[in-house]
Amino acid sequence: MSNKWENNEEIQFFREYLRIPSVHPDVDYDPCLKFIKSQADNLNLPMKIYYPAHPKKPIAIITWTGIKPELPSIILNSHMDVVPVFEENWTHPPFSADIDSEGRIFARGSQDMKCVGMQYLAAIRALKKEGHKFKRTIHIVFVPDEEIGGKLGMCKFVHKDEFKALNAGFSFDEGVAGPDEIYPVFYAERSIWHVFFKISGTTGHGSLLHKNTAGEKLNYIMQKMFALRDHEVKRLENNPELTIGDVTTINLTQLKGGVQSNVVPPLFVACFDVRIAIDVDHIKFENQLKQWCEEAGGGIELEYEQKEVRVEPTKIDSSNKFWVAFKKTVDELGLKTRPQVFPGGTDSRYIREVGIPAIGFSPMNNTPILLHDHDEFLKADTYLNGIEIYKKLIPAVANLE
Ligand code: ZN
């Protein structure tokens, strides 16, 4: 079956990248590197590979040097890895990049986020062909392992001399699709805390009424945590201005403990996945948790599997010239955008952490949100339209003085 998109060179490149199964676990990044090198050659631009943390975790960077290379550079970031698939739930094989009669391209990574990585390259290809040159150097960056937290990828890279040598001034990175005409734009992320309450108590026979049992203390902690959760649920429900990224989310994710049915156990462990809203004071929040542990009767240890520091949001006002240039461009294109806090985590948090402004934006509107879902797809027209958007956005930020 042939259709009007199949002969489009950019659609071909996109589908070629989608066919690389860079899927967790144990991703083999070599085919990605090979493909990205072929793209660099096609663009007649140099590519470098870095290994900031591990010999199997490469970062590939294609660089287009600016007329004023002393100016801080522009980073166009994307991750090469994709999340696992449950192939039996797909109507098209997840790594064949089938295109149907409506132009829907089915593949893992079609939305998250091989689309964006290839749209950067497609826009650069078009701009270069048109003879443009920009003041700032542009680095198109391909990173590993974002989907497993970026610990051996961007997380480490931002602290290396090789990253500092890029002299980055601003970064674009992923957003998510918008189901209606609005394009979500992300300027911040919440801080992820995975909190374990290790609750000790009096042990004994299940027929008695001991004092200070682990169960009573667990009950107290649960009440406090779920009251806080309820408070955030109501705050979100009662204010249409807020999105999920604006509130603190709290979920009980693990419960462990118990010995046998007639023994009052010495220990219960409760784990909560907490995503702390950007306006919450971390020290006050932790002190509150400690206070509840004391009020519950003591003997409770707090442990953290993950405890992210607060990262300053990227400014979305006149103090950030990159934001001003971004906003002016999308407004001129007539795109409806909505700035918000990203509900999950992306590599932008590491970039913001070292003081570089970062905007999360995937140019996909009127598109069902299918990242990490079965039958992930992106329409060819949406993809091509996104290239046109980057053809305006990249010059806007790369030509700033
Ligand atoms: Zn992603």
Side-chain angles (χ1 to χ4, degrees), residues 208-223:
L208 302 173
L209 288 171
H210 294 291
K211 295 212 184 305
N212 275 320
T213 59
E216 292 167 280
K217 296 178 189 179
L218 173 64
N219 179 39
Y220 188 86
I221 296 294
M222 290 285 201
Q223 284 189 34

Side-chain angles (χ1 to χ4, degrees), residues 79 81 111-113 146-147 173-175 342 345-346 371-372:
H79 61 82
D81 56 322
Q111 292 193 10
D112 182 14
M113 65 171 299
E146 189 277 340
E147 294 291 3
D173 200 340
E174 68 190 312
F342 203 90
T346 75
L371 72 166
H372 302 199

